[in-house]
Amino acid sequence: MQLHDNSPYFSGKPLLLVEHSDVTKRRGGTHSLTPFFTPLGSPIRRAIQMTKFDPQDAWLPITESRNGNAFYAAFHTLCSGIGIQALVLPVSFTILGWTWGVICLTIAFVWQMYTLCLLVKLHESPETGVRYSRYLHICQATFGNKLGKLMAIFPIMYLSGGTCVALIIVGGSTLNLFFQIICGHGCNAKPLTTVEWYLVFTCAAVLLSQLPNLNSIAGVSLIGAATAIGYCTIMWLVAVTEGRLEGVSYDPVGPVENVALIFGVLNALGIIAFAFRGHNLILEIQATMPSSEKRTTYVPMWRGVKVAYLIIALCLFPLAIGGYWAYGQKIPENGGMLTAIYAYHGRDTSQFVLALTSLLVIINSVSSFQIYGMPMFDDMESKYTKRKNKPCPWWLRALFRTMFGYGCFFVAVAIPFLGSFAGLTGGVAVPVTFAYPCFLWLKIKKPKKYSMMWVLNWVLGASGMVLSVVLIAAGVYVVIDAGIEVSFFKP
């Protein structure tokens, strides 16, 4: 496999797990580990031991610290894999109905677990002796620099940057709700405007983003994961314990026209696909683990992923099924469960529960901003380190992250209706989650033609690409047909 020396993330040399004194000194005594290994005693290994380590990975926030473990992996995976996107899952059931809703959700869960397993296995390549520490990295190495960038850079950056914008919108709006609940009806305090609440949230997110690297935010990811589990559980428990709304119907909402019905179903599938995001961060999370010849990162990483996604399943399925059971067709399309809780139970539910739910959403949004923003921070710093051949000074790193945070704030204020594009966003994310890992496996592992793995990955990869195209088309159609109110700079 030909690696490109001009990639911002890696050199063209396979590297060993060794400690380099020059890198150690630069990092203030912290050992930085090189990407991978070759068999013991091999001529390649002896040659590589004399090869000077390219220090750029030790300068970038994703790979500068490699002391992660299965617990860190579980925290990061949970924080990136569950969040606000899960709250609109019951909306997809209003189109698909009970049977197909559960079937499609189950198929999507199993499918993305399979592609997760592929990515975790592909992180370390015995064929090349290289660790693929970033999703874009493995796409460039596998499909070539230009094609890899063309395939991956837009959906990956869209998922990272777009998610951060959405988190500002949700977090800022929920801050406003939290203030109203705490203040009460008789409060005389003058509330902030929506834009000001967005700014408050952004300031908190930018301040927290100054933590240096991915391993350093493990505690933040743990808090983010715990709060996501908390508000998902509270929401479906409140929905189920309060009982079904009067006049609830479970008949699928289907337009009379066949074309509109088809696009509606596809948009619902896009919402389900969007719920399973986070694959664009799996290789980055695994890159924070140390690797040796006797113990690769696959075992602890896969253990952390399995635990994380077991918990995610225990949150997503009750949320989707319980929410649809309680609200049926009355589930709000914009906001899903978050809007429903306040709209239908704002008066008959404890104000403490409502305030706690809002607080958990806010904390989770601030925490998720960090892990989704990390690939963007890494990309910005890689451009500097490649050009200057030295690590970013602390003030420049802080400037990059501040610029990114307030850039997302500007987009959130400019396009406050971004949350209405859940189905469309799901279509953009489909290849990263459901298709690319299959093609990467075929290209790197080269399974025997017409074998079970060969057929399975071709079928799933091709299906994922076709699904992405039709979901994007359906998302655009639904946005136009539904007549979403476009209000630029009017959050």
Side-chain angles (χ1 to χ4, degrees):
M1 182 179 302
Q2 180 64 39
L3 298 182
H4 301 272
D5 290 332
N6 61 348
S7 168
Y9 298 127
F10 56 95
S11 72
K13 308 181 185 70
L15 300 168
L16 274 177
L17 176 64
V18 289
E19 297 175 357
H20 300 272
S21 58
D22 57 334
V23 177
T24 301
K25 291 176 182 177
R26 289 189 186 95
R27 306 271 20 127
T30 301
H31 294 301
S32 178
L33 306 181
T34 58
F36 198 39
F37 57 88
T38 54
L40 277 170
S42 71
I44 295 178
R45 182 186 178 196
R46 289 193 295 270
I48 293 172
Q49 286 177 332
M50 297 182 290
T51 302
K52 187 177 180 180
F53 175 62
D54 181 359
Q56 188 174 1
D57 261 1
W59 296 338
L60 299 177
I62 286 176
T63 48
E64 73 176 8
S65 173
R66 292 188 186 268
N67 61 354
N69 52 46
F71 293 103
Y72 285 15
F75 301 159
H76 290 313
T77 304
L78 259 175
C79 189
S80 63
I82 186 171
I84 56 174
Q85 74 278 9
L87 302 181
V88 294
L89 275 176
V91 177
S92 65
F93 279 52
T94 62
I95 301 294
L96 299 173
W98 275 117
T99 303
W100 284 108
V102 173
I103 290 174
C104 291
L105 185 59
T106 304
I107 291 175
F109 182 80
V110 174
W111 189 349
Q112 61 89 34
M113 281 299 294
Y114 173 72
T115 55
L116 267 176
C117 183
L118 294 184
L119 286 174
V120 173
K121 287 182 177 180
L122 289 172
H123 176 77
E124 293 164 325
S125 174
E127 293 85 358
T128 61
V130 172
R131 287 182 70 175
Y132 300 110
S133 299
R134 296 158 182 85
Y135 204 114
L136 182 59
H137 171 163
I138 194 172
C139 287
Q140 288 178 280
T142 306
F143 302 115
N145 198 33
K146 291 183 179 179
L147 181 59
K149 278 187 176 181
L150 183 65
M151 291 173 59
I153 196 165
F154 175 73
I156 290 173
M157 296 306 174
Y158 182 81
L159 279 172
S160 294
T163 299
C164 289
V165 172
L167 288 169
I168 290 175
I169 295 172
V170 172
S173 301
T174 310
L175 268 172
N176 192 12
L177 280 173
F178 180 71
F179 174 81
Q180 292 175 9
I181 294 170
I182 296 298
C183 194
H185 296 292
C187 181
N188 295 322
K190 183 181 179 181
L192 300 177
T193 64
T194 304
V195 174
E196 289 170 338
W197 284 119
Y198 285 5
L199 184 59
V200 171
F201 179 89
T202 304
C203 290
V206 167
L207 183 63
L208 196 57
S209 72
Q210 302 307 317
L211 291 171
N213 55 59
L214 192 53
N215 262 340
S216 68
I217 64 168
V220 176
S221 292
L222 173 60
I223 294 172
T227 51
I229 295 168
Y231 70 69
C232 286
T233 304
I234 289 174
M235 285 183 187
W236 72 259
L237 282 176
V238 168
V240 171
T241 54
E242 292 290 340
R244 292 182 294 181
L245 299 179
E246 293 183 6
V248 165
S249 172
Y250 301 117
D251 295 329
V253 178
V256 177
E257 300 85 355
N258 290 332
V259 175
L261 175 59
I262 292 172
F263 280 120
V265 170
L266 291 173
N267 189 62
L269 295 177
I271 293 173
I272 292 176
F274 183 52
F276 297 109
R277 62 183 185 180
H279 285 54
N280 59 307
L281 295 168
I282 286 297
L283 294 176
E284 285 81 350
I285 295 170
Q286 196 169 352
T288 64
M289 294 182 172
S291 179
S292 67
E293 296 175 353
K294 295 182 179 180
R295 185 176 179 83
T296 66
T297 61
Y298 170 75
V299 174
M301 182 65 188
W302 185 237
R303 187 183 299 127
V305 168
K306 286 189 294 185
V307 171
Y309 271 86
L310 173 63
I311 298 173
I312 289 173
L314 294 176
C315 291
L316 296 190
F317 280 86
L319 190 68
I321 295 171
Y324 185 58
W325 176 84
Y327 308 121
Q329 296 178 7
K330 296 184 177 182
I331 185 79
E333 292 184 7
N334 191 6
M337 292 292 289
L338 183 61
T339 304
I341 291 295
Y342 294 102
Y344 299 129
H345 307 299
R347 295 182 179 179
D348 53 9
T349 301
S350 165
Q351 294 298 296
F352 172 77
V353 172
L354 295 177
L356 177 61
T357 304
S358 300
L359 184 60
L360 293 176
V361 171
I362 294 164
I363 296 173
N364 171 256
S365 297
V366 174
S367 303
S368 298
F369 187 96
Q370 310 310 315
I371 191 166
Y372 274 95
M374 196 61 70
M376 305 297 290
F377 306 153
D378 191 85
D379 183 67
M380 289 186 287
E381 291 185 32
S382 72
K383 290 178 172 58
Y384 176 88
T385 58
K386 182 183 178 183
R387 177 172 296 183
K388 299 294 185 179
N389 196 30
K390 63 180 181 179
C392 278
W394 68 268
W395 60 267
L396 185 59
R397 170 174 279 189
L399 180 62
F400 279 152
R401 300 182 182 197
T402 302
M403 289 172 57
F404 172 77
Y406 288 105
C408 290
F409 164 75
F410 175 80
V411 176
V413 174
I415 314 176
F417 49 90
L418 191 66
S420 302
F421 296 95
L424 179 59
T425 306
V428 174
V430 161
V432 172
T433 303
F434 297 102
Y436 290 168
C438 301
F439 292 133
L440 290 169
W441 184 270
L442 289 168
K443 186 75 173 177
I444 295 173
K445 296 298 183 180
K446 295 180 173 57
K448 185 178 178 181
K449 198 172 184 180
Y450 303 120
S451 65
M452 181 178 176
M453 285 297 291
W454 187 89
V455 172
L456 178 62
N457 283 290
W458 267 115
V459 170
L460 292 180
S463 300
M465 295 304 296
V466 172
L467 185 62
S468 176
V469 173
V470 296
L471 288 183
I472 291 173
V476 172
Y477 176 88
V478 170
V479 166
I480 296 173
D481 184 64
I484 291 175
E485 184 179 349
V486 177
S487 54
F488 293 103
F489 295 99
K490 293 181 180 179

